[in-house]
Amino acid sequence: MSTASLPRINTSFFPKIITAENHSRFHQQRQNGGHGNVESGKQSGKAHPLKGNDKQPRFTKQDIAVMLSFFSIPSYRNSHKHNICVDMLRKGYHKSFSELFALIQKWNASREAAGPGSAIWQQEPLEEQLDKLDQLQHFLTRAEAAQRAGRYEEVYTNQVSLARYFDNSEDKWLSDHFFESSLHTASLIKIDGGKKEAEAHSNMGKVYMEKAGDKKIEGKAAYRVGLAYQSSGDQQTAMTYLNMYMELSKALGDKDGLGKAYKAIANALESEGKVAESVEYLEKFVEVSQGSDQSRSLEEACMCLGVIFNSRGQYDKGCEYFAKAYEITRNLRDLPLLQKTQVYLGAAKARKMMTAFSSHMETTGLVNTEELLAWKDSRNDMFSDPSTVCAPVSFHSLKTH
């Protein structure tokens, strides 16, 4: 017995719910138990959704999401990375999107470079780790919003939060990335006396000290951190890192680094009013500079000592070190530096001479008067004690060099 074939109805899976009118009519049909006005399609000249159409309706993902919501069906699913990126772009966080995308690409490139069997090859890809993507979106967009408003302290805080969140063996590269970003941001903060910048240098110093066991890099990092704390006024913390740099330089036999450490420590001690200790380190700076044949470092060390002794009224010692610096610069062929040492030496010589000159002025007597008149005629350095002063350098000679 033959079975009569049923006519095939060409229909789409979902009704076309893309307008406010269809939206309202669909709800009314559901309330009426699914019985709507079938003739309304004919009256309006539109094809009924259950009738055949020449062209199937085309739905966007947004249309599908709306329709699925009426049937309590989960919305159209993209990957979590895709949804986060789209959300960032919709809200105008283009910088955050670019950074996130670049980090994902960097992870993938590192994985490919390492190859199968490597530790990173066994890890779950960054773009599939949902919690980490959420953290990146949260803090990156907050940082970008703060940057637009010029609130660099908030930018710094969000970057450091990300650095600390990823501070583990698996994500260390992400932590290093955000610590480095925070260092750049900290340099833009001008209202805290350099505290954030010092903290950022400290964080980067720790990053460098944790890599590959390279003592030279570790020493340079400690030096940078020490200088940062020094510039912010925290001399005690600065001394901790500078002493670390000094010891590493000794272990490596790095005389240039050792001289830099001595100078920085001397500056820190002087800032705390410990002048005697400061002088000791500057004298070590002179010694190590002489031993390493570092002419510029030696000139710098002599100038530092000359300034300290001169400021303390010890003009003999000040003149001694300024004269050494002057002799060094004569061989360096550096005219601006030569002129600088000439000025310092001339000022030190004048102050030294004025001490003896003033005593002659205050003491009456034929000898004192004759010496004053002789000096006025010749203007030679006749008030200095030859046994305690360097080779005389007259003002006339300073002008001719």
Side-chain angles (χ1 to χ4, degrees):
M1 182 176 67
S2 63
T3 304
S5 61
L6 296 175
R8 184 172 181 175
I9 300 176
N10 187 16
T11 180
S12 59
F13 186 74
F14 297 113
K16 187 175 181 181
I17 310 174
I18 56 174
T19 65
E21 180 183 356
N22 288 339
H23 181 279
S24 176
R25 185 163 58 249
F26 181 74
H27 271 292
Q28 186 177 359
Q29 288 176 357
R30 293 189 68 185
Q31 291 172 357
N32 294 334
H35 302 289
N37 186 4
V38 179
E39 298 299 323
S40 60
K42 295 180 180 179
Q43 293 173 359
S44 60
K46 298 179 181 178
H48 192 276
L50 297 180
K51 300 293 184 180
N53 294 325
D54 293 336
K55 294 184 179 180
Q56 294 292 327
R58 295 184 178 181
F59 300 113
T60 65
K61 292 179 182 179
Q62 189 173 359
D63 296 332
I64 293 173
V66 172
M67 290 187 288
L68 292 176
S69 66
F70 290 108
F71 294 96
S72 301
I73 299 174
S75 62
Y76 186 90
R77 289 189 178 276
N78 286 309
S79 69
H80 196 58
K81 180 197 79 171
H82 177 90
N83 291 335
I84 282 179
C85 290
V86 169
D87 187 60
M88 284 180 172
L89 291 174
R90 280 178 178 170
K91 294 178 179 177
Y93 291 114
H94 302 285
K95 184 175 181 295
S96 300
F97 162 77
S98 298
E99 187 165 5
L100 175 62
F101 193 75
L103 289 172
I104 292 173
Q105 283 190 317
K106 183 178 180 180
W107 191 95
N108 292 336
S110 299
R111 182 175 183 272
E112 291 297 325
S118 62
I120 191 173
W121 192 273
Q122 308 302 323
Q123 295 175 14
E124 186 180 11
L126 176 61
E127 59 192 279
E128 296 178 12
Q129 300 186 55
L130 309 190
D131 290 341
K132 293 177 182 179
L133 291 179
D134 288 339
Q135 291 292 322
L136 285 165
Q137 179 190 26
H138 176 71
F139 287 107
L140 284 175
T141 54
R142 286 182 62 180
E144 185 173 355
Q147 185 181 36
R148 291 174 185 171
R151 300 191 299 269
Y152 293 107
E153 300 90 340
E154 292 183 30
V155 179
Y156 174 84
T157 300
N158 283 287
Q159 289 170 335
V160 170
S161 296
L162 277 172
R164 289 174 178 162
Y165 176 80
F166 291 109
D167 192 10
N168 57 72
S169 57
E170 183 178 310
D171 301 314
K172 195 69 177 65
W173 67 279
L174 277 169
S175 178
D176 295 350
H177 169 81
F178 288 112
F179 274 134
E180 188 171 356
S181 298
S182 69
L183 176 60
H184 172 71
T185 302
S187 66
L188 304 175
I189 301 173
K190 305 299 182 184
I191 62 174
D192 67 344
K195 291 183 179 179
K196 287 287 189 298
E197 188 169 8
E199 181 182 88
H201 275 292
S202 176
N203 291 332
M204 282 305 299
K206 292 173 184 175
V207 168
Y208 288 131
M209 286 188 284
E210 288 172 358
K211 290 184 175 179
D214 191 327
K215 296 297 183 183
K216 192 168 185 179
I217 293 178
E218 185 177 343
K220 288 181 178 179
Y223 178 65
R224 289 179 60 186
V225 174
L227 292 184
Y229 276 111
Q230 194 175 71
S231 65
S232 68
D234 189 349
Q235 304 300 336
Q236 291 294 326
T237 308
M239 286 287 290
T240 300
Y241 287 99
L242 293 174
N243 279 314
M244 187 187 303
Y245 179 50
M246 179 182 68
E247 294 302 325
L248 286 168
S249 297
K250 285 180 181 178
L252 293 169
D254 182 2
K255 292 185 177 180
D256 184 46
L258 192 57
K260 289 163 64 176
Y262 286 147
K263 179 191 173 186
I265 291 172
N267 289 338
L269 290 168
E270 185 184 8
S271 299
E272 293 185 318
K274 300 176 181 178
V275 180
E277 292 92 333
S278 176
V279 169
E280 288 180 13
Y281 277 95
L282 284 174
E283 288 174 341
K284 290 180 180 180
F285 183 22
V286 170
E287 184 180 351
V288 74
S289 298
Q290 287 175 329
S292 61
D293 194 28
Q294 296 286 334
S295 296
R296 289 190 179 274
S297 295
L298 181 58
E299 179 273 334
E300 188 178 13
C302 290
M303 287 294 290
C304 289
L305 279 168
V307 168
I308 286 181
F309 284 122
N310 215 40
S311 64
R312 298 177 70 187
Q314 296 177 263
Y315 302 124
D316 288 346
K317 297 287 288 184
C319 176
E320 177 184 347
Y321 283 107
F322 282 138
K324 287 181 179 179
Y326 172 66
E327 290 302 323
I328 293 168
T329 54
R330 290 179 67 178
N331 298 322
L332 290 177
R333 297 184 179 180
D334 187 334
L335 183 59
L337 192 60
L338 176 64
Q339 292 172 336
K340 176 183 176 181
T341 55
Q342 284 178 336
V343 170
Y344 276 90
L345 176 59
K349 294 282 291 180
R351 290 190 178 97
K352 178 185 174 184
M353 184 181 65
M354 285 302 296
T355 302
F357 179 82
S358 298
S359 67
H360 280 283
M361 290 290 293
E362 293 169 359
T363 306
T364 59
L366 180 60
V367 175
N368 304 96
T369 304
E370 287 177 347
E371 289 193 10
L372 288 171
L373 290 173
W375 173 80
K376 187 175 181 181
D377 290 335
S378 64
R379 298 299 173 97
N380 289 325
D381 185 11
M382 55 191 299
F383 295 110
S384 299
D385 183 358
S387 64
T388 60
V389 76
C390 59
V393 182
S394 66
F395 288 105
H396 177 70
S397 66
L398 290 178
K399 294 178 182 178
T400 57
H401 288 294

